[in-house]
């Protein structure tokens, strides 16, 4: 009996003869489901592409692991931490970092900036030197040679690689008491910009300098560090290595992964993706009312045939299955055609880069297997639910004149 119900449902959907209104409404429902599924698949694929793009943009700006102090800015027991890191075979490179806010002045212009002091191993952990688009990375021969973020350099109009044009950074001095002279307020140092790099929203207003410059401005002893950034041989083992270091180094430090350092950024991306998913899930839900209309029109048009089938002994439950299977066939056709069309559009964008966010950046897309599953399950849940609800035809409706 179940096979008979499915056979009749497929005949209702695929038969060339029959009511024009039923055929039109049925295929309209298939078309609407196709468009909704295509739109949802394409948008989710774009967000998958954006995730990869964002990971690529910030990959050179943050380390696999970052060690900070829980009890103050400066890391205590640096020699012990240094020994533990050197003896860990899973660590490829690590670098000391000191970062503070400074005031920078040049030719009557001034701005607030972040001064990040790093040692010579820093580029092996975060290869920021690969992003320099003008000038060169500091050679660390002199402590006052710095790398500057592009927008900050443009606002101050500081020439790059000019041996006669120096900017000045000011670092306020901590402490209390009476101020007798200018040197009691701040330390200052003339700096020479050797290169410019893009901040990519993560390092806007940053100045990258040799760590000796920050130690001098902050009156810190040598081999000081606010944080230590670490490059791992295998980033997949980040969490396990983090636990190893926590147990080896002590309780006075905090270790964060690259994802934890950018928790707010990824939370924003995931929230946007969730809202987009909910919006398109609502679109699919609204689209399924075309499916409800198709089932109702089918019931009205085939009422006499249904009455004949019931008279011949077809159980009412199997009659309901006919309408339910009809709805399922409409949903399945819509999902399959929508996924095929969405895949074609994604491949078209991937290879032609036809649609662009601006003149230089095409919308990124990434075809991921889980996206097929997410879209299919969402459309199937709504479609099957609507089909089940509207297939519950009553016996009185069939038998009454």
């Amino acid at each position: 009996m179940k096979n008979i119900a499915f056979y009749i449902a497929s005949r209702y959907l695929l038969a060339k003869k029959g009511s024009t209104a039923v055929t039109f409404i049925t295929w309209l429902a298939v078309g609407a489901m196709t468009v909704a599924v295509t739109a949802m698949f394409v948008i989710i694929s774009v967000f998958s592409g954006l995730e990869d793009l964002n990971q690529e943009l910030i990959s050179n700006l943050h380390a696999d692991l970052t060690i900070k102090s829980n009890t103050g800015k400066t890391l205590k027991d640096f020699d012990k931490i240094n020994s533990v890191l050197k003896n860990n075979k899973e660590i490829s490179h690590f670098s000391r970092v000191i970062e503070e806010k400074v005031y920078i002045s040049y030719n009557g212009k001034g701005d607030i900036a972040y001064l990040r002091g790093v040692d010579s191993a820093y580029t092996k952990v975060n290869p920021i030197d690969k992003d320099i688009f003008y000038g060169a990375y500091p050679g660390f021969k002199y402590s006052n040679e710095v790398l500057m973020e592009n927008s900050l350099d443009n606002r101050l109009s500081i020439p790059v690689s000019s041996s006669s044009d120096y900017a000045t950074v000011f670092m306020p001095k901590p402490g209390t008491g009476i101020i007798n002279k200018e040197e009691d307020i701040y330390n200052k140092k003339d700096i020479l910009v050797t290169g410019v790099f893009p901040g990519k929203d993560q390092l806007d207003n940053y100045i990258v300098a040799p760590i000796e410059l920050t130690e001098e401005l902050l009156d810190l002893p040598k081999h000081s560090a606010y944080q230590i950034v670490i490059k791992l041989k295998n980033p997949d083992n980040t969490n396990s290595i983090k636990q190893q270091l926590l147990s080896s180094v002590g309780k006075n430090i905090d270790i964060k992964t690259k994802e934890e350092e950018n928790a707010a950024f990824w939370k924003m991306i995931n929230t946007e993706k969730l809202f987009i998913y909910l919006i398109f899930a609502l679109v699919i839900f609204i689209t399924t009312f075309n499916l409800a209309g198709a089932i109702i029109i089918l019931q009205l048009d085939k009422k006499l045939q249904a009455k004949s089938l019931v008279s011949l002994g077809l159980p009412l439950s199997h009659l309901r299955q006919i309408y339910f299977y009809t709805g399922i066939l409409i949903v399945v056709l819509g999902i399959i055609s929508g996924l095929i069309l969405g895949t074609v559009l994604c491949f078209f964008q991937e290879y032609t880069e036809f649609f662009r966010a601006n003149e230089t950046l095409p919308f990124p897309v990434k075809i991921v297997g889980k996206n097929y599953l997410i879209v299919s399950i969402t459309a199937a849940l709504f479609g099957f639910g609507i089909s089940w609800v509207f297939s519950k035809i009553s016996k009185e409706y069939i038998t009454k004149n």
Side-chain angles (χ1 to χ4, degrees):
M1 280 293 187
K2 289 184 179 180
N3 292 334
I4 292 176
F6 182 81
Y7 173 76
I8 295 174
S10 62
R11 293 289 297 172
Y12 282 164
L13 185 66
L14 302 175
K16 296 181 179 179
K17 295 182 180 180
S19 171
T20 304
V22 173
T23 303
F24 175 78
I25 294 295
T26 299
W27 288 103
L28 178 64
V30 174
M33 182 64 70
T34 299
V35 172
V37 169
T38 300
M40 186 176 191
F41 179 79
V42 170
I43 292 298
I44 291 181
S45 297
V46 168
F47 265 87
S48 296
L50 284 173
E51 287 182 358
D52 280 3
L53 178 62
N54 287 319
Q55 286 180 349
E56 182 179 346
L57 288 175
I58 67 173
S59 60
N60 293 342
L61 303 180
H62 297 279
D64 294 327
L65 289 173
T66 302
I67 299 178
K68 296 180 181 179
S69 174
N70 279 335
T71 58
K73 286 187 175 181
T74 306
L75 283 168
K76 297 177 176 60
D77 298 326
F78 174 76
D79 292 336
K80 178 183 177 182
I81 297 174
N82 185 61
S83 176
V84 169
L85 296 181
K86 283 184 176 179
N87 293 327
N88 194 312
K89 296 181 180 180
E90 295 293 333
I91 294 176
S92 176
H93 301 283
F94 63 92
S95 170
R96 292 184 297 132
V97 176
I98 298 176
E99 185 175 307
E100 275 291 356
K101 190 179 290 187
V102 296
Y103 180 79
I104 179 170
S105 175
Y106 174 75
N107 199 21
K109 298 179 182 179
D111 207 339
I112 302 296
Y114 294 92
L115 180 64
R116 174 175 286 187
V118 301
D119 60 24
S120 57
Y122 184 72
T123 54
K124 296 178 180 178
V125 179
N126 289 337
I128 194 172
D129 55 325
K130 294 181 180 179
D131 292 330
I132 296 173
F133 58 85
Y134 187 73
Y137 190 74
F140 284 81
K141 183 177 180 181
Y142 304 102
S143 65
N144 65 337
E145 292 182 345
V146 304
L147 185 68
M148 187 169 290
E149 190 269 326
N150 180 47
S151 63
L152 178 64
D153 185 72
N154 286 340
R155 288 197 300 272
L156 298 176
S157 303
I158 303 175
V160 178
S161 299
S162 173
S163 59
S164 59
D165 292 287
Y166 289 87
T168 305
V169 291
F170 299 84
M171 180 74 71
K173 284 185 176 181
T176 59
I178 298 174
I179 298 174
N180 296 318
K181 52 183 183 248
E182 182 183 3
E183 288 75 11
D184 294 335
I185 305 174
Y186 48 74
N187 292 324
K188 65 178 181 178
K189 185 78 173 179
D190 292 336
I191 58 172
L192 176 67
V193 179
T194 63
V196 177
F197 73 100
K200 300 177 181 177
D201 295 330
Q202 298 288 310
L203 292 181
D204 285 347
N205 301 328
Y206 265 76
I207 301 170
V208 179
I211 198 167
E212 291 79 12
L213 176 63
T214 54
E215 288 175 341
E216 183 180 347
L217 288 170
L218 291 165
D219 295 325
L220 292 173
K222 289 186 177 182
H223 304 295
S224 297
Y226 281 7
Q227 54 184 267
I228 297 176
V229 291
I230 301 171
K231 175 73 173 179
L232 300 178
K233 293 180 180 179
N234 185 4
D236 294 334
N237 298 330
T238 299
N239 291 322
S240 62
I241 298 171
K242 174 184 174 180
Q243 297 304 319
Q244 290 178 18
L245 294 178
L246 283 172
S247 61
S248 301
V249 177
K251 299 180 179 179
N252 294 327
I253 67 165
D254 182 28
I255 303 179
K256 290 186 177 181
T257 64
K258 184 181 295 187
E259 290 74 19
E260 291 169 342
E261 282 282 291
N262 295 276
F265 175 75
W266 290 115
K267 184 177 180 181
M268 178 189 70
I269 294 294
N270 292 329
T271 301
E272 289 179 354
K273 188 174 182 180
L274 175 62
F275 273 100
I276 290 295
Y277 168 78
L278 293 176
I279 289 171
F280 277 89
L282 179 61
V283 170
I284 289 180
F285 176 71
I286 295 172
T287 303
T288 54
F289 283 97
N290 287 299
L291 173 63
I295 294 174
I296 292 172
I297 293 296
L298 180 65
Q299 291 171 353
L300 292 173
D301 187 72
K302 305 298 182 181
K303 183 177 180 181
L304 292 177
Q305 295 180 13
K307 186 176 182 180
S308 299
L309 289 173
V310 171
S311 300
L312 290 172
L314 183 72
L316 182 63
S317 60
H318 294 303
L319 180 63
R320 291 172 176 172
Q321 287 178 2
I322 292 174
Y323 301 128
F324 178 63
Y325 288 149
T326 302
I328 287 179
L329 288 173
I330 293 173
V331 172
V332 170
L333 282 175
I335 291 174
I336 293 174
S337 55
L339 292 177
I340 292 174
L341 181 57
T343 303
V344 171
L345 288 175
C346 288
F347 275 119
F348 174 78
Q349 173 63 13
E350 187 175 350
Y351 287 104
T352 66
E353 299 181 344
F354 182 79
F355 300 100
R356 293 180 174 269
N358 54 44
E359 294 181 356
T360 59
L361 179 64
F363 280 106
V365 293
K366 182 181 180 181
I367 299 176
V368 184
K370 68 177 183 180
N371 290 345
Y372 288 97
L373 188 62
I374 291 171
V375 175
S376 299
I377 290 177
T378 302
L381 283 176
F382 288 129
F384 292 176
I386 290 292
S387 300
W388 182 80
V389 170
F390 285 88
S391 66
K392 296 299 179 181
I393 191 170
S394 64
K395 188 173 183 179
E396 289 75 14
Y397 172 78
I398 299 298
T399 55
K400 71 178 180 180
N401 293 327

